[in-house]
Amino acid sequence: MKFLLYTGEHKIMLGNDVILKITHKKKSRVTIRNILICINPNINPILYRIGQDLAWSNRLLSQVNVQIYMEDVFSWLSTLGGAYSSLGDHFIHCSSKAGRISVQQLYLAWSMGDPLLQAKSMLFLAQSLMQRGYLPQAKNIIRKQYTFATSSDSGYDQKLHNMCLGTWHRLKYFYQRRRERSRLKLTNVSHDRNGLHSQAGVQHL
């Protein structure tokens, strides 16, 4: 099969008898693009109008570019938020920064109209709340996202389901650590009281 392209005439020859010719015409500031397909030089060519298809392609292309850009930004925010979150267990300002980044991701996911990314952003926010001690608020967020992850609305997304389970186990760890601190605090208070009673008894003697 021959394949010849004449850029000046916008003509493509496919084989010996098949000719594809593209024409461009200006009409009312709109470029009309037509394709002429000639199977046999002795027969009138078949005319296909693709102007509308190309116009819609240009519109969709801009939307696709915006979607790609927003997904790229979301990925960078996830990397940055993960770095702050890893330090959030030791530095409160890092967990606060991670929470602000998750809110930005939530707004971006809402702009993209992606419910899965919205749910993941909410789980990132729950991580920040846990690190700052807002455990009941984090619990409510995780439960809502787990309900969404296991519903038909999310298409039973397995990755989101696993993220919910992992975040829930981390929440249980924070609750356990809070209980241990409470017990330790009560033990220290009890020891202090016993020490005061002992000193009072010595002074009385």
Side-chain angles (χ1 to χ4, degrees):
M1 175 182 291
K2 296 180 180 179
F3 184 86
L4 301 176
L5 174 62
Y6 302 93
T7 57
E9 300 178 1
H10 300 283
K11 180 186 294 185
I12 300 175
M13 180 175 291
L14 305 172
N16 296 323
D17 298 329
V18 181
I19 299 175
L20 176 65
K21 185 177 181 181
I22 303 176
T23 61
H24 302 265
K25 294 181 180 180
K26 286 282 187 178
K27 184 177 181 181
S28 300
R29 299 182 181 178
V30 177
T31 301
I32 301 176
R33 298 174 177 86
N34 299 325
I35 291 181
L36 292 174
I37 299 179
C38 183
I39 305 300
N40 191 316
N42 299 323
I43 302 177
N44 291 330
I46 304 174
L47 177 63
Y48 293 91
R49 297 183 182 275
I50 62 170
Q52 294 180 349
D53 292 336
L54 292 177
W56 275 106
S57 297
N58 292 332
R59 294 179 184 178
L60 292 176
L61 181 60
S62 62
Q63 296 295 324
V64 170
N65 289 334
V66 170
Q67 185 75 12
I68 293 174
Y69 175 76
M70 295 177 73
E71 290 181 357
D72 186 56
V73 172
F74 191 92
S75 299
W76 279 106
L77 288 176
S78 296
T79 303
L80 183 62
Y84 277 104
S85 181
S86 63
L87 297 173
D89 291 340
H90 308 285
F91 305 102
I92 190 65
H93 68 277
C94 291
S95 61
S96 300
K97 182 64 175 180
R100 290 194 294 271
I101 293 175
S102 64
V103 172
Q104 293 176 345
Q105 288 181 285
L106 180 61
Y107 176 77
L108 189 61
W110 176 81
S111 301
M112 296 167 62
D114 193 330
L116 291 178
L117 290 182
Q118 294 175 26
K120 293 176 182 179
S121 301
M122 291 299 295
L123 291 177
F124 297 153
L125 178 60
Q127 292 262 17
S128 174
L129 292 174
M130 283 187 284
Q131 291 174 332
R132 288 179 284 167
Y134 300 101
L135 301 187
Q137 292 83 348
K139 181 192 295 186
N140 292 333
I141 291 176
I142 298 171
R143 283 178 172 174
K144 289 181 180 179
Q145 305 317 310
Y146 181 81
T147 301
F148 171 74
T150 55
S151 66
S152 58
D153 296 334
S154 67
Y156 301 101
D157 187 77
Q158 187 63 40
K159 185 176 181 180
L160 179 60
H161 180 266
N162 293 337
M163 286 182 63
C164 291
L165 293 180
T167 311
W168 183 260
H169 285 300
R170 184 165 173 79
L171 177 66
K172 292 171 63 177
Y173 162 75
F174 274 97
Y175 268 112
Q176 180 181 358
R177 192 172 67 173
R178 173 178 286 185
R179 287 192 294 266
E180 291 176 353
R181 288 179 177 177
S182 298
R183 286 196 296 266
L184 181 61
K185 185 176 180 180
L186 290 175
T187 302
N188 292 335
V189 170
S190 179
H191 288 167
D192 292 340
R193 288 179 178 176
N194 292 334
L196 290 175
H197 287 310
S198 301
Q199 291 178 4
V202 171
Q203 291 175 359
H204 180 69
L205 292 174

